[in-house]
PDB file of all heavy atoms in Angstrom:
ATOM      1  N   ILE A 308      28.257  27.029  13.583  1.00  0.00           N
ATOM      2  CA  ILE A 308      29.211  25.920  13.700  1.00  0.00           C
ATOM      3  C   ILE A 308      30.636  26.428  13.678  1.00  0.00           C
ATOM      4  O   ILE A 308      31.488  26.031  14.482  1.00  0.00           O
ATOM      5  CB  ILE A 308      28.989  24.877  12.579  1.00  0.00           C
ATOM      6  CG1 ILE A 308      27.628  24.204  12.749  1.00  0.00           C
ATOM      7  CG2 ILE A 308      30.101  23.834  12.584  1.00  0.00           C
ATOM      8  CD1 ILE A 308      27.252  23.310  11.581  1.00  0.00           C
ATOM      9  N   ALA A 309      30.916  27.380  12.792  1.00  0.00           N
ATOM     10  CA  ALA A 309      32.247  27.965  12.672  1.00  0.00           C
ATOM     11  C   ALA A 309      32.651  28.708  13.952  1.00  0.00           C
ATOM     12  O   ALA A 309      33.771  28.541  14.479  1.00  0.00           O
ATOM     13  CB  ALA A 309      32.358  28.866  11.459  1.00  0.00           C
ATOM     14  N   PHE A 310      31.717  29.518  14.485  1.00  0.00           N
ATOM     15  CA  PHE A 310      32.038  30.296  15.664  1.00  0.00           C
ATOM     16  C   PHE A 310      32.156  29.399  16.909  1.00  0.00           C
ATOM     17  O   PHE A 310      32.985  29.642  17.771  1.00  0.00           O
ATOM     18  CB  PHE A 310      30.958  31.346  15.913  1.00  0.00           C
ATOM     19  CG  PHE A 310      31.210  32.603  15.125  1.00  0.00           C
ATOM     20  CD1 PHE A 310      30.419  32.948  14.056  1.00  0.00           C
ATOM     21  CD2 PHE A 310      32.257  33.458  15.470  1.00  0.00           C
ATOM     22  CE1 PHE A 310      30.666  34.099  13.316  1.00  0.00           C
ATOM     23  CE2 PHE A 310      32.492  34.610  14.742  1.00  0.00           C
ATOM     24  CZ  PHE A 310      31.693  34.946  13.670  1.00  0.00           C
ATOM     25  N   VAL A 311      31.347  28.347  16.998  1.00  0.00           N
ATOM     26  CA  VAL A 311      31.463  27.433  18.110  1.00  0.00           C
ATOM     27  C   VAL A 311      32.814  26.699  18.037  1.00  0.00           C
ATOM     28  O   VAL A 311      33.460  26.486  19.092  1.00  0.00           O
ATOM     29  CB  VAL A 311      30.285  26.428  18.113  1.00  0.00           C
ATOM     30  CG1 VAL A 311      30.553  25.268  19.072  1.00  0.00           C
ATOM     31  CG2 VAL A 311      29.016  27.131  18.509  1.00  0.00           C
ATOM     32  N   PHE A 312      33.232  26.335  16.846  1.00  0.00           N
ATOM     33  CA  PHE A 312      34.547  25.696  16.703  1.00  0.00           C
ATOM     34  C   PHE A 312      35.634  26.632  17.117  1.00  0.00           C
ATOM     35  O   PHE A 312      36.587  26.247  17.853  1.00  0.00           O
ATOM     36  CB  PHE A 312      34.777  25.238  15.278  1.00  0.00           C
ATOM     37  CG  PHE A 312      36.129  24.659  15.000  1.00  0.00           C
ATOM     38  CD1 PHE A 312      36.500  23.429  15.531  1.00  0.00           C
ATOM     39  CD2 PHE A 312      37.048  25.359  14.241  1.00  0.00           C
ATOM     40  CE1 PHE A 312      37.782  22.901  15.315  1.00  0.00           C
ATOM     41  CE2 PHE A 312      38.300  24.850  13.995  1.00  0.00           C
ATOM     42  CZ  PHE A 312      38.664  23.604  14.540  1.00  0.00           C
ATOM     43  N   LEU A 313      35.575  27.890  16.685  1.00  0.00           N
ATOM     44  CA  LEU A 313      36.574  28.890  17.070  1.00  0.00           C
ATOM     45  C   LEU A 313      36.612  29.052  18.598  1.00  0.00           C
ATOM     46  O   LEU A 313      37.690  29.093  19.195  1.00  0.00           O
ATOM     47  CB  LEU A 313      36.277  30.220  16.380  1.00  0.00           C
ATOM     48  CG  LEU A 313      37.157  31.406  16.762  1.00  0.00           C
ATOM     49  CD1 LEU A 313      38.623  31.138  16.419  1.00  0.00           C
ATOM     50  CD2 LEU A 313      36.661  32.682  16.111  1.00  0.00           C
ATOM     51  N   PHE A 314      35.447  29.133  19.200  1.00  0.00           N
ATOM     52  CA  PHE A 314      35.396  29.322  20.650  1.00  0.00           C
ATOM     53  C   PHE A 314      35.964  28.083  21.359  1.00  0.00           C
ATOM     54  O   PHE A 314      36.649  28.204  22.382  1.00  0.00           O
ATOM     55  CB  PHE A 314      33.970  29.585  21.117  1.00  0.00           C
ATOM     56  CG  PHE A 314      33.855  29.659  22.619  1.00  0.00           C
ATOM     57  CD1 PHE A 314      34.204  30.814  23.299  1.00  0.00           C
ATOM     58  CD2 PHE A 314      33.376  28.592  23.337  1.00  0.00           C
ATOM     59  CE1 PHE A 314      34.097  30.875  24.652  1.00  0.00           C
ATOM     60  CE2 PHE A 314      33.276  28.631  24.692  1.00  0.00           C
ATOM     61  CZ  PHE A 314      33.647  29.794  25.369  1.00  0.00           C
ATOM     62  N   SER A 315      35.644  26.888  20.854  1.00  0.00           N
ATOM     63  CA  SER A 315      36.153  25.671  21.490  1.00  0.00           C
ATOM     64  C   SER A 315      37.687  25.614  21.428  1.00  0.00           C
ATOM     65  O   SER A 315      38.328  25.233  22.392  1.00  0.00           O
ATOM     66  CB  SER A 315      35.549  24.453  20.786  1.00  0.00           C
ATOM     67  OG  SER A 315      34.149  24.433  20.935  1.00  0.00           O
ATOM     68  N   VAL A 316      38.238  26.014  20.282  1.00  0.00           N
ATOM     69  CA  VAL A 316      39.703  26.040  20.165  1.00  0.00           C
ATOM     70  C   VAL A 316      40.290  27.057  21.140  1.00  0.00           C
ATOM     71  O   VAL A 316      41.275  26.802  21.836  1.00  0.00           O
ATOM     72  CB  VAL A 316      40.117  26.380  18.722  1.00  0.00           C
ATOM     73  CG1 VAL A 316      41.623  26.657  18.646  1.00  0.00           C
ATOM     74  CG2 VAL A 316      39.737  25.236  17.786  1.00  0.00           C
ATOM     75  N   LEU A 317      39.656  28.256  21.208  1.00  0.00           N
ATOM     76  CA  LEU A 317      40.132  29.260  22.144  1.00  0.00           C
ATOM     77  C   LEU A 317      39.991  28.785  23.581  1.00  0.00           C
ATOM     78  O   LEU A 317      40.858  29.056  24.431  1.00  0.00           O
ATOM     79  CB  LEU A 317      39.334  30.552  21.964  1.00  0.00           C
ATOM     80  CG  LEU A 317      39.614  31.370  20.718  1.00  0.00           C
ATOM     81  CD1 LEU A 317      38.616  32.536  20.613  1.00  0.00           C
ATOM     82  CD2 LEU A 317      41.044  31.914  20.707  1.00  0.00           C
ATOM     83  N   SER A 318      38.901  28.059  23.863  1.00  0.00           N
ATOM     84  CA  SER A 318      38.677  27.606  25.234  1.00  0.00           C
ATOM     85  C   SER A 318      39.666  26.527  25.643  1.00  0.00           C
ATOM     86  O   SER A 318      40.311  26.621  26.706  1.00  0.00           O
ATOM     87  CB  SER A 318      37.243  27.045  25.355  1.00  0.00           C
ATOM     88  OG  SER A 318      37.001  26.567  26.656  1.00  0.00           O
ATOM     89  N   ILE A 319      39.844  25.498  24.810  1.00  0.00           N
ATOM     90  CA  ILE A 319      40.775  24.408  25.138  1.00  0.00           C
ATOM     91  C   ILE A 319      42.214  24.926  25.101  1.00  0.00           C
ATOM     92  O   ILE A 319      43.006  24.671  26.033  1.00  0.00           O
ATOM     93  CB  ILE A 319      40.612  23.241  24.151  1.00  0.00           C
ATOM     94  CG1 ILE A 319      39.217  22.634  24.281  1.00  0.00           C
ATOM     95  CG2 ILE A 319      41.682  22.199  24.400  1.00  0.00           C
ATOM     96  CD1 ILE A 319      38.917  22.027  25.625  1.00  0.00           C
ATOM     97  N   GLY A 320      42.574  25.653  24.074  1.00  0.00           N
ATOM     98  CA  GLY A 320      43.926  26.212  23.995  1.00  0.00           C
ATOM     99  C   GLY A 320      44.165  27.246  25.045  1.00  0.00           C
ATOM    100  O   GLY A 320      45.299  27.341  25.592  1.00  0.00           O
TER     101      GLY A 320
END
Side-chain angles (χ1 to χ4, degrees):
I308 295 173
F310 276 108
V311 167
F312 175 70
L313 175 62
F314 175 79
S315 298
V316 171
L317 288 173
S318 178
I319 296 298

